[in-house]
């Protein structure tokens, strides 16, 4: 496509897309409405001069370097939760790799029905539909995998030093910038589909983070002191996610475990662990080959945990 100084002729587009040249022209007008700046020169064709810095199906898919992830992509201005939409799409039979993104969620969800604050245009509120050939007990590994993907992308794109608090929080300078919610539908010990929700605080300024969250949440912008392009960050995440996911499916969890441990928060330190039944002091050791958290209590007993809250500091302060 790129042999003519970046220009693509209307004829070429019309042939490739099997639409009329008038239809090509109409699509260009649509892109312009979407904020693209397009140059049209007679006998040379069209050239995109700049893409808008906003999120749309076009801006995310344009230049998206993936084989299967995000080829079906749904963008909404406002939704209750991208998770709910992804579940509906899954039930309609939409394929593995379908992505749902919203500018704003008015009922964003965390784990255990906790709320997830998702203000308009400030973050990445995204759900990925996956149809993995895994058994249900392996689903939590996808949460850990997603956490490593986010940590790697934040590092690639900045000097930030992310850490992963088991199982699903990405912290920067001890504050939460991102959370992951993995939900699945399974039957007969086989996963039917997984909806993996990713929430990232991207461009909030310090004043945008209020109330309870003020002391425990932050954004990429606050930590890096610069604005991030949301569409471009989504592209990087989708690219890195696909690569890591394919590797995990072909080679297993070991590589994810190693990367996870590189970013693991409070590993080797004393914390308070809380489950539904009890609360105790322990040292975090790392994660098990299956993704469970390994901890050692004060008597030296080691335990594997599949579901727990980790707390630390004064009065067991918890970064949630
Ligand atoms: C999570 O839950 O961290 C999972 C968050 C997943 C959000 C994504 S956005 C796209 C998709 N659609 C959804 O509706 N959800 C997913 P959990 O570990 O339970 O943490 C929830 C807790 O984090 C809350 O109780 C708050 O204390 C805190 N919190 C809420 N909003 C936050 C925010 N924007 N930034 C940092 N912390 C937040």
């Amino acid at each position: 496509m790129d042999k003519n100084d970046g220009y693509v002729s209307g004829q070429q587009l019309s042939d490739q897309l099997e639409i009329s040249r008038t239809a090509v022209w109409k699509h260009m007008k649509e892109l312009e409405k979407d904020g693209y700046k397009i140059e049209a020169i007679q006998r040379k064709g069209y050239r995109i001069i700049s893409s808008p810095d906003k999120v749309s199906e076009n801006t995310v898919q344009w230049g998206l370097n993936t084989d299967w992830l995000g080829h079906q992509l749904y963008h909404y201005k406002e939704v209750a939760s991208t998770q709910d939409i992804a579940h509906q799409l899954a039930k309609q039979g939409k394929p593995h790799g379908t992505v749902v993104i919203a500018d704003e969620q008015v009922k964003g969800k965390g784990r255990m029905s906790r709320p997830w604050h998702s203000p308009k245009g400030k973050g990445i509120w995204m759900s990925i539909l996956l149809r993995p050939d895994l058994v249900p007990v392996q689903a939590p590994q996808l949460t850990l995998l997603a956490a490593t993907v986010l940590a790697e992308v934040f590092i690639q794109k900045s000097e930030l030093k992310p850490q992963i608090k088991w199982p699903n929080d990405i912290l920067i300078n001890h504050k939460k910038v991102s959370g992951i919610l993995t939900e699945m539908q399974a039957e007969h010990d086989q996963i039917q589909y997984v909806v993996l929700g990713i929430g990232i605080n991207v461009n909030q300024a310090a004043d945008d983070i209020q109330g309870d969250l003020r002391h425990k949440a932050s954004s990429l912008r606050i930590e890096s002191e610069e604005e991030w392009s949301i569409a471009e960050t989504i592209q990087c995440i989708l690219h890195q996610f696909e690569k890591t996911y394919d590797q995990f499916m072909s080679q297993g969890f070991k590589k994810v475990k190693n990367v996870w441990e590189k970013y693991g928060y409070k590993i080797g330190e004393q914390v308070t662990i809380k489950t539904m039944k009890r609360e105790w002091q322990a040292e975090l050791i790392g994660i098990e080959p299956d993704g469970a958290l390994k901890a050692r209590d004060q008597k030296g007993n080691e335990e594997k945990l599949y579901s727990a809250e980790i707390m630390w500091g004064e009065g067991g302060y918890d970064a949630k």
Side-chain angles (χ1 to χ4, degrees):
M1 291 259 284
D2 215 1
K3 31 185 159 112
N4 197 4
D5 296 339
Y7 291 92
V8 186
S9 75
Q11 189 58 52
Q12 208 177 347
L13 286 169
S14 141
D15 291 346
Q16 270 183 10
L17 301 170
E18 296 180 12
I19 54 176
S20 71
R21 294 196 50 173
T22 317
V24 169
W25 180 82
K26 280 192 185 148
H27 280 296
M28 293 298 161
K29 291 289 146 206
E30 284 302 313
L31 286 174
E32 279 178 349
K33 271 196 225 148
D34 218 11
Y36 283 87
K37 292 212 167 55
I38 295 174
E39 193 179 35
I41 294 195
Q42 268 200 348
R43 275 188 280 278
K44 276 191 141 181
Y46 299 99
R47 186 170 69 125
I48 293 198
I49 299 174
S50 69
S51 311
D53 189 25
K54 69 170 196 176
V55 178
S56 71
E57 279 143 33
N58 287 325
T59 56
V60 175
Q61 286 188 320
W62 199 287
L64 177 64
N65 186 9
T66 58
D67 288 331
W68 53 264
L69 183 55
H71 287 210
Q72 289 227 15
L73 191 134
Y74 298 81
H75 168 255
Y76 299 87
K77 287 203 160 65
E78 186 196 296
V79 295
S81 158
T82 55
Q83 293 290 101
D84 299 345
I85 295 186
H87 279 287
Q88 284 162 16
L89 294 172
K91 290 187 176 118
Q92 288 166 17
K94 292 287 184 264
H96 175 70
T98 298
V99 171
V100 181
I101 303 169
D103 293 340
E104 179 179 10
Q105 297 186 115
V106 291
K107 261 191 157 174
K109 322 188 255 191
R111 295 175 304 152
M112 292 168 269
S113 311
R114 288 190 281 238
W116 181 259
H117 190 236
S118 321
K120 185 173 172 186
K122 299 286 182 189
I124 295 175
W125 325 123
M126 166 164 87
S127 298
I128 300 176
L129 168 61
L130 299 167
R131 298 187 181 277
D133 188 10
L134 296 174
V135 290
V137 289
Q138 289 175 293
Q141 296 181 347
L142 293 172
T143 305
L144 304 179
L145 180 152
T148 66
V149 166
L150 300 182
E152 298 273 65
V153 168
F154 298 163
I155 288 232
Q156 279 160 19
K157 295 188 65 66
S158 69
E159 302 282 296
L160 297 174
K161 293 206 168 52
Q163 291 189 293
I164 308 172
K165 176 177 167 242
W166 188 88
N168 70 325
D169 293 352
I170 313 286
L171 309 184
I172 297 177
N173 291 325
H174 310 281
K175 289 184 166 179
K176 181 161 173 173
V177 295
S178 174
I180 297 159
L181 173 66
T182 306
E183 297 177 313
M184 77 171 150
Q185 183 78 29
E187 230 172 70
H188 307 306
D189 218 27
Q190 178 65 38
I191 292 181
Q192 311 236 285
Y193 71 82
V194 166
V195 172
L196 194 139
I198 293 177
I200 307 173
N201 299 329
V202 182
N203 282 330
Q204 284 100 328
D207 285 350
D208 295 327
I209 298 183
Q210 287 176 354
D212 252 20
L213 293 182
R214 198 162 258 267
H215 304 290
K216 49 194 188 187
S218 190
S219 73
L220 296 175
R221 172 179 161 188
I222 296 169
E223 298 305 325
S224 65
E225 298 180 348
E226 57 191 13
E227 288 255 340
W228 288 50
S229 156
I230 292 187
E232 196 193 315
T233 308
I234 294 172
Q235 288 180 331
C236 293
I237 292 169
L238 295 180
H239 174 72
Q240 181 76 20
F241 188 96
E242 181 181 281
K243 208 169 79 180
T244 313
Y245 179 92
D246 285 345
Q247 211 165 44
F248 162 63
M249 291 310 271
S250 63
Q251 295 166 29
F253 187 65
K254 191 158 190 295
K255 174 118 194 272
V256 175
K257 175 181 181 306
N258 291 342
V259 177
W260 195 96
E261 286 183 329
K262 194 167 96 188
Y263 295 109
Y265 189 65
K266 299 264 174 200
I267 301 296
E269 293 184 38
Q270 289 289 329
V271 296
T272 304
I273 298 180
K274 190 175 168 191
T275 62
M276 302 276 264
K277 292 193 197 123
R278 61 195 180 109
E279 191 173 313
W280 71 102
Q281 301 292 312
E283 180 194 340
L284 296 185
I285 302 173
I287 54 173
E288 292 278 324
D290 64 356
L293 181 70
K294 196 156 67 169
R296 187 185 297 120
D297 73 13
Q298 289 178 323
K299 289 188 190 135
N301 302 319
E302 285 187 10
E303 255 184 292
K304 275 175 81 168
L305 296 156
Y306 288 92
S307 160
E309 298 288 337
I310 294 161
M311 305 180 290
W312 64 90
E314 292 283 309
Y317 168 69
D318 177 12
K320 291 210 166 295

